[in-house]
């Protein structure tokens, strides 16, 4: 409760955007969600305690068991009821360049396993028998050195910038104004003005719902794009979209690509929607309305896909919190050269939420070996290289642009190839090593006993 109560306290900010309608729900919502999420570490503790009661497990094996239970619960938290893998244990290592690199091999869940297990070892040293302390100390040193050393070796891979020039625009439009009647013109004018300064760019990037309307239906607005898009330049922007069908109108949260003539080239519809923010689960049963403005629930798009854009490297798109899901951002059949994360963190003000959101984006860069470019309405916009290092950023509350070249993509990482199977392989390998050591020790003791009898 303590971890989640503090870690997701930023969610309350979204309720205060429309205080009159939703302000009273802020504290109950955070408390309720924290209690729900706290069930998962409780499951880990219960599973650990149950096994400890039924089997004789101690020392390093007990530490290994707790780390395994903890990560299994984290994995469940990232998948049950659409999942919410926020603030995983691995993110404690994020700001240490070498220590975050093993995520390229075993993903964030595998790195969480290593983080918890290594963190437990000093405790094992204190409570275990004195004769084992030298071994535990040695294991702790090898684990930390191996974790950091492997990361240092990976950091030797060069990630120079490509010749693709980017311009990322952060409009800093307050959420209370974003969908206000009559604000569409001023918002568009602001983004056009910020995009217009002289300077070379190949791709112009606007954040999630940068245009608060249906841009593909607004010919006048699309015509105005030519004023900031020289020939052969492309705009990627977040916009809502709608389709008419026999079942009525369906709404989508999308990123669309436009050329200098205002023609739409391609698009991506968000497939992992935010419960209660973009749709209401079990709408027929729950007497709850959406917490955001809109004409109706959004419809999920297809799974992750790669967009082919003329004159630019192929790109994967992750809209808003889609970037927090390890292994579910990139199309495995058509690998992109970079990831575009369009988001609107204006809902969360100057809280810790945007920094935590950025942390997830940095871990996806390491896992996939791909640069991540974030365009956020009010921050944090950033360009992140394939090692998870921030090349450039605009902080929360800033208005401006980032002009920088797209970093180079690295070869597909083991995690990019095999996903969470690498985490499972790591855990199985750790258990196999422990069992091998125990079996060797048992045979040695048996042999010694027979020798004494002789």
């Amino acid at each position: 409760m303590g971890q989640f109560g503090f870690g997701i306290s930023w969610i309350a900010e979204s309720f205060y955007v429309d205080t009159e309608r939703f302000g009273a729900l802020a504290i109950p919502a955070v408390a309720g969600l924290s209690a729900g999420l706290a069930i998962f570490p409780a499951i880990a503790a219960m599973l650990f305690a149950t096994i400890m009661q039924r089997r004789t497990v101690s020392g390093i094996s007990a530490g290994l068991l707790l780390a395994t239970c903890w990560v299994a619960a984290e994995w469940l938290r990232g998948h049950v009821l659409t999942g919410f893998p926020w603030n995983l244990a691995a993110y404690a290592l994020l700001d240490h360049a070498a220590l975050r690199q093993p995520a390229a091999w075993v993903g964030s869940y595998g790195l969480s396993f290593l983080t918890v297990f290594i963190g437990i070892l000093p405790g094992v040293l204190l409570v275990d028998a004195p004769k084992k302390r030298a071994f535990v100390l040695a294991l702790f040193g090898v684990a930390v050195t191996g974790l950091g050393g492997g990361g240092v070796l990976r950091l030797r891979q060069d990630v120079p910038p490509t010749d693709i020039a980017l311009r990322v625009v952060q409009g800093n439009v307050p959420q209370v104004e974003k969908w206000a009647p009559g604000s569409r013109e001023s918002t568009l004018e602001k983004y056009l003005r910020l995009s217009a300064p002289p300077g070379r760019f190949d791709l112009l990037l606007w954040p999630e719902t940068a245009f608060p309307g249906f841009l593909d239906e607004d010919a006048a607005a699309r015509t105005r794009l030519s004023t900031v898009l020289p020939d052969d330049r492309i705009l990627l922007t977040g916009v809502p979209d709608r389709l008419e069908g026999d079942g009525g109108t369906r709404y989508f949260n999308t990123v669309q690509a436009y050329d200098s003539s205002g023609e739409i080239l391609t698009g991506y519809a968000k497939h992992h929607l935010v419960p209660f923010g973009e749709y209401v689960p079990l709408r027929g049963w729950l007497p709850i309305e959406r917490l955001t403005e809109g004409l109706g629930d959004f419809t999920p798009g297809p799974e992750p896909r790669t967009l082919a854009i003329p004159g630019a490297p192929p790109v994967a798109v992750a809209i808003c919190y889609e970037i927090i899901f390890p292994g579910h951002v990139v199309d495995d059949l058509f690998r992109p050269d970079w990831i575009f994360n369009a988001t609107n963190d204006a809902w969360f003000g100057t809280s810790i939420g945007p920094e935590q959101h950025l942390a997830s984006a940095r871990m996806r860069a390491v896992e996939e070996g791909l640069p991540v470019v974030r365009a956020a309405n009010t921050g944090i916009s950033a360009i992140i290289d394939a090692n998870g290092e921030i090349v450039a950023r605009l902080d929360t509350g800033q208005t401006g642009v980032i002009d920088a070249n797209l970093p180079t993509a690295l070869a597909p990482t083991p995690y990019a190839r095999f996903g969470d199977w690498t985490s499972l392989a790591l855990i199985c390998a750790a258990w196999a090593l422990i069992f091998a050591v125990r079996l060797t020790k048992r045979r040695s003791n048996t042999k010694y006993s027979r020798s004494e009898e002789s």
Side-chain angles (χ1 to χ4, degrees):
M1 282 289 290
Q3 175 192 350
F4 293 114
F6 178 79
I8 65 170
S9 59
W10 48 268
I11 291 177
E13 296 279 346
S14 62
F15 290 87
Y16 295 130
V17 171
D18 189 347
T19 305
E20 185 176 341
R21 294 172 62 194
F22 303 114
L25 299 176
I27 294 177
V30 172
L33 182 57
S34 298
L37 294 174
I39 290 173
F40 292 97
I43 290 174
M46 181 182 67
L47 181 61
F48 171 74
T50 301
I51 296 174
M52 290 288 287
Q53 290 172 355
R54 297 184 179 183
R55 300 187 65 87
T56 303
V57 181
S58 62
I60 294 175
S61 297
L64 192 63
L65 175 62
L66 180 56
T68 303
C69 293
W70 185 276
V71 173
E74 278 199 342
W75 189 91
L76 286 174
R77 176 160 65 88
H79 292 79
V80 172
L81 298 177
T82 79
F84 191 58
W86 196 265
N87 289 351
L88 302 178
Y91 295 176
L93 306 180
L94 179 68
D95 287 330
H96 305 279
L99 297 182
R100 67 173 177 258
Q101 299 309 312
W105 305 310
V106 296
S108 288
Y109 295 116
L111 187 55
S112 283
F113 170 78
L114 293 172
T115 303
V116 174
F117 179 54
I118 293 174
I120 286 171
L121 286 179
V124 173
L125 176 65
L126 291 174
V127 302
D128 211 356
K131 63 182 180 180
K132 295 182 180 179
R133 290 184 178 179
F135 174 70
V136 175
L137 270 176
L139 181 60
F140 180 78
V142 169
V144 173
T145 303
L147 195 66
V152 169
L153 290 176
R154 185 172 187 270
L155 287 173
R156 290 183 177 179
Q157 299 181 87
D158 197 17
V159 283
T162 66
D163 59 357
I164 301 297
L166 307 176
R167 174 166 288 178
V168 181
V169 181
Q170 182 166 295
N172 194 26
V173 178
Q175 190 61 39
V176 292
E177 298 177 10
K178 191 171 182 63
W179 299 98
S183 67
R184 184 180 305 172
E185 173 60 28
S186 61
T187 298
L188 177 60
E189 181 61 34
K190 186 172 189 177
Y191 273 96
L192 291 174
R193 175 171 48 81
L194 289 170
S195 305
R200 172 186 169 268
F201 64 87
D202 300 296
L203 291 172
L204 179 63
L205 304 173
W206 290 359
E208 179 187 17
T209 59
F211 182 78
F214 302 107
L215 185 56
D216 60 335
E217 301 176 13
D218 193 331
R222 286 187 285 112
T223 299
R224 296 176 64 184
L225 295 179
S226 62
T227 62
V228 296
L229 286 177
D231 292 341
D232 301 325
R233 303 302 187 260
I234 303 297
L235 167 68
L236 281 174
T237 181
V239 290
D241 195 12
R242 61 185 174 187
L243 288 176
E244 302 291 343
D246 295 338
T249 304
R250 293 186 298 159
Y251 298 93
F252 301 87
N253 188 355
T254 74
V255 163
Q256 296 174 354
Y258 290 88
D259 62 17
S260 56
S261 67
E263 292 299 317
I264 186 170
L265 302 175
T266 186
Y268 163 82
K270 185 176 182 180
H271 75 276
H272 207 140
L273 302 176
V274 180
F276 303 105
E278 294 174 311
Y279 76 103
V280 177
L282 304 174
R283 176 172 281 280
W285 296 84
L286 296 178
I288 301 174
E289 59 179 315
R290 273 178 52 194
L291 302 179
T292 58
E293 295 289 343
L295 300 176
D297 285 359
F298 282 111
T299 299
E303 291 295 306
R305 56 179 297 216
T306 300
L307 302 184
I309 302 173
V315 57
V317 177
I319 299 176
C320 192
Y321 101 138
E322 284 184 319
I323 199 70
I324 76 172
F325 293 92
H328 294 278
V329 176
V330 171
D331 183 351
D332 296 330
L333 299 179
F334 183 15
R335 178 175 168 83
D337 286 346
W338 60 296
I339 300 169
F340 176 45
N341 178 211
T343 188
N344 175 23
D345 288 354
W347 287 103
F348 312 117
T350 57
S351 67
I352 58 178
E355 285 284 358
Q356 294 175 351
H357 201 181
L358 176 66
S360 291
R362 295 175 67 187
M363 290 301 286
R364 300 298 85 76
V366 177
E367 290 169 351
E368 301 293 342
L370 296 173
V372 175
V373 180
R374 299 191 82 229
N377 176 29
T378 58
I380 303 166
S381 296
I383 295 179
I384 305 163
D385 70 18
N387 290 326
E389 197 67 30
I390 297 176
V391 176
R393 65 181 278 169
L394 286 169
D395 287 323
T396 303
Q398 286 186 297
T399 302
V401 301
I402 297 174
D403 283 332
N405 282 28
L406 178 69
T408 301
L410 297 176
T413 64
Y415 185 77
R417 293 178 181 273
F418 303 109
D420 290 332
W421 290 108
T422 61
S423 304
L424 181 61
L426 170 66
I427 295 172
C428 291
W431 276 106
L433 178 62
I434 292 296
F435 283 132
V437 170
R438 294 184 66 179
L439 182 60
T440 301
K441 183 178 179 181
R442 185 177 301 172
R443 287 179 176 178
S444 177
N445 290 339
T446 301
K447 182 179 179 179
Y448 178 77
S449 298
R450 290 175 179 175
S451 176
E452 287 289 317
E453 290 173 1
S454 298

